Structures are given as C-alpha cells and as structure tokens.
C-alpha cells in the first residue's frame, strides 16, 4: 500500500507492506504406533519441538520429592526442572513436544518520504512479529566448553536470581531446547534514513553541473526489541560469535553530475 500527495512545494509519500506466513503438515507417512503428540500431521510446520520447563530446582528437597530421573545425570539446585510429559518418571526424548511456540509469521515494512523544494527526507523500517526465538546462543546464554569467554549475563544466574540456571560446564541438563529459553522474536529496525538537499538547477549550472546534492544517510540506526535487554541483536542472535553483527553506519556525501 502506498499513498502519495502534493501540496504546493511540499510532497510526501507513506507506504507499508506486510506478509503473514503459516504452513501446516496435511498428510505425513508416520508409524501408526507413534504417540499422537509426536505426529506431524495436522501440526504447523514452524512449531518448535522442546521440553516444557517448570522453573528451577531451589533446594535438594525439591529434587528428592520430584521422584524424576533426568537423562543428563544428577541435578542440583539451580538446574532447570522439566515436565514429565509422558508420565514415566524419566525426562528423555519422549518428553519433547510442541508447546505452541513457533517462528515469526508476520513480516512487515514501512516507508516514508517527504520533500520541500530542494530538501528530501526518506525513511525505511522493517520488522517481524507473532513469533518466538530460541535463546540458545553459546557464550551469551549457554556454556560451550571451559575455554571461552562468558557474557555478562552469567552474573544474573542462580543463586543470585532465577533468571538463568546455575553455571556449569559438567552437566548438559540446562542446555536443552526448552520453554525456559524462549524469547519474543518481534522487532522493528530502522533500516535507512536519508536527508538530502539538491541545489536549484540554475545554481548548479553556474558550477557547470546538471545536479548537485549533499546528503546524510544512516543505516540500522536502532532496533526495538525485548531482546535488547540481553545485549543481543534480535535479527542475528549469534552476531559476534559465529557471524558478523549488523553494522550501524552514518554516511555524509556529495553527489555531482556534470
């Protein structure tokens, strides 16, 4: 959708685009003996398969009273507690399920431009909504071996808070895909802003030019996201670890045509 209007020397344009994407498994060749909750048929294709977390164990008594064995060895206070979905008193792959969490489904963009005589302003933004992201980036949230640098988030862990499980390099219990590590994937990023001024043709002609324009341009100036509190980029969770971050740039320039 795009709307344009001019009033005298002033003109502006505003527009938006959006896409909603959702796909579902209709027919899947699956074993008849497969548990119903494990079957793909009828489920959305972008669902996350994971364990259902139930907070953190706070003390040894909670661990003993649960009567549940976990597949990654003995647990300690500060470890993530998982729901025994199939009721066999063991946390293993048979407790992995869909919880309703899924990848973003709504994608959108907005643009705005305005001009007055020789001045022009253009703005472009883009974002996603209606979806989740798994906060499983090693070093930021998860531990990946003993020879690594840790993020500041490691200071916000059990027993100081219940925001993150205890820090350990020996147990894999806390580093399983689960609802504990779900985050809101929604974000809005200001992709591009440009402000420019173009000299009148008569003045440009005096300098033997057909066009003379000066501009200031900024890219990726800011992003709105709940994940900013973790100091990570919602569009690229592993930036700085397995890939380059999205750079913020400011450019000043002159464009001349002869």
């Amino acid at each position: 959708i795009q709307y344009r209007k001019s009033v005298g020397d002033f003109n502006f344009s505003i527009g938006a685009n959006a896409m909603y994407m959702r796909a579902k498994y209709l027919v899947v060749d699956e074993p008849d003996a497969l548990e119903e909750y494990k079957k793909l048929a009828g489920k959305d294709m972008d669902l996350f398969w994971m364990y259902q977390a139930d907070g953190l164990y706070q003390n040894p008594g909670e661990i003993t009273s649960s009567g549940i064995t976990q597949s990654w060895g003995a647990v300690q206070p500060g470890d993530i507690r998982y729901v025994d979905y199939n009721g066999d008193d063991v946390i293993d792959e048979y407790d992995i399920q869909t919880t309703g969490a899924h990848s973003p489904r709504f994608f959108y963009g907005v643009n705005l431009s305005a001009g007055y005589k020789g001045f022009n302003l253009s703005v472009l933004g883009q974002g996603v909504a209606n979806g989740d992201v798994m906060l499983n980036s090693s070093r930021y949230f998860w531990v990946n071996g003993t020879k690594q640098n840790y993020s500041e988030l490691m200071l916000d862990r059990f027993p100081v808070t219940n925001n993150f499980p205890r820090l350990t390099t020996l147990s894999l219990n806390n580093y399983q895909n689960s609802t504990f590590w779900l985050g809101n994937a929604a974000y809005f990023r200001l992709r591009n802003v440009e402000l420019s001024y173009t000299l009148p043709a008569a003045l440009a002609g005096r300098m033997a030019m057909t066009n003379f324009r000066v501009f200031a341009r900024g890219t990726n100036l800011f992003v709105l996201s709940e994940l900013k509190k973790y100091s990570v980029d919602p569009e690229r969770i592993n930036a700085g670890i397995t890939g380059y971050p999205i750079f913020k740039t400011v450019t000043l320039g002159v464009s001349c045509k002869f």
Side-chain angles (χ1 to χ4, degrees):
I1 299 175
Q2 196 75 29
Y3 176 77
R4 297 181 177 87
K5 188 175 180 63
S6 296
V7 180
D9 292 328
F10 178 75
N11 64 84
F12 73 94
S13 173
I14 185 170
N17 62 81
M19 176 179 69
Y20 183 81
M21 183 170 61
R22 184 175 181 178
K24 180 176 292 188
Y25 292 104
L26 297 180
V27 179
V28 182
D29 186 13
E30 299 175 290
D32 291 337
L34 187 65
E35 292 87 348
E36 196 64 32
Y37 71 94
K38 287 285 188 179
K39 292 182 178 180
L40 294 176
K43 291 184 173 67
D44 291 316
M45 298 178 69
D46 61 352
L47 292 176
F48 294 167
W49 290 80
M50 63 183 70
Y51 294 99
Q52 178 73 46
D54 186 25
L56 303 180
Y57 284 111
Q58 299 298 307
N59 53 64
E62 287 187 0
I63 299 173
T64 303
S65 63
S66 70
I68 293 177
T69 301
Q70 303 200 167
S71 297
W72 308 281
V75 296
Q76 297 183 28
D79 283 338
I80 298 175
R81 177 172 49 215
Y82 298 110
V83 173
D84 180 21
Y85 189 75
N86 66 346
D88 64 354
D89 295 331
V90 177
I91 302 299
D92 54 22
E93 66 271 18
Y94 297 106
D95 296 302
I96 295 176
Q97 56 177 302
T98 58
T99 63
H102 54 78
S103 299
R105 294 174 176 172
F106 186 70
F107 306 82
Y108 65 94
V110 293
N111 65 83
L112 169 69
S113 63
Y116 179 73
K117 294 186 177 180
F119 291 96
N120 285 279
L121 172 68
S122 64
V123 180
L124 177 65
Q126 170 266 330
V128 304
N130 187 219
D132 307 282
V133 63
M134 189 64 65
L135 304 178
N136 55 8
S137 172
S138 62
R139 294 177 176 84
Y140 280 124
F141 301 99
W142 289 14
V143 175
N144 183 19
T146 58
K147 297 180 179 179
Q148 69 178 47
N149 294 323
Y150 300 107
S151 72
E152 190 176 3
L153 294 174
M154 300 296 179
L155 300 174
D156 193 30
R157 290 176 175 260
F158 186 91
V160 179
T161 73
N162 286 316
N163 293 334
F164 295 104
R166 71 183 179 97
L167 181 61
T168 175
T169 59
L170 301 178
S171 173
L172 295 177
N173 179 83
N174 299 330
Y175 310 122
Q176 306 297 320
N177 285 340
S178 74
T179 54
F180 189 93
W181 298 108
L182 278 179
N184 186 350
Y187 71 85
F188 173 79
R189 185 183 298 278
L190 187 61
R191 286 289 182 189
N192 191 78
V193 178
E194 181 176 292
L195 177 64
S196 65
Y197 177 72
T198 303
L199 279 180
L203 290 178
R206 293 179 185 178
M207 297 183 289
M209 301 181 200
T210 59
N211 182 273
F212 180 84
R213 186 173 71 98
V214 294
F215 64 88
R217 179 186 303 135
T219 60
N220 301 314
L221 295 181
F222 72 83
V223 60
L224 301 176
S225 167
E226 289 184 10
L227 302 185
K228 293 297 290 182
K229 63 185 177 182
Y230 301 129
S231 299
V232 297
D233 192 312
E235 194 174 0
R236 197 170 295 177
I237 294 293
N238 287 313
I241 299 176
T242 58
Y244 287 102
I246 297 175
F247 294 107
K248 177 191 300 183
T249 62
V250 176
T251 306
L252 302 178
V254 177
S255 174
C256 304
K257 292 183 180 180
F258 297 91

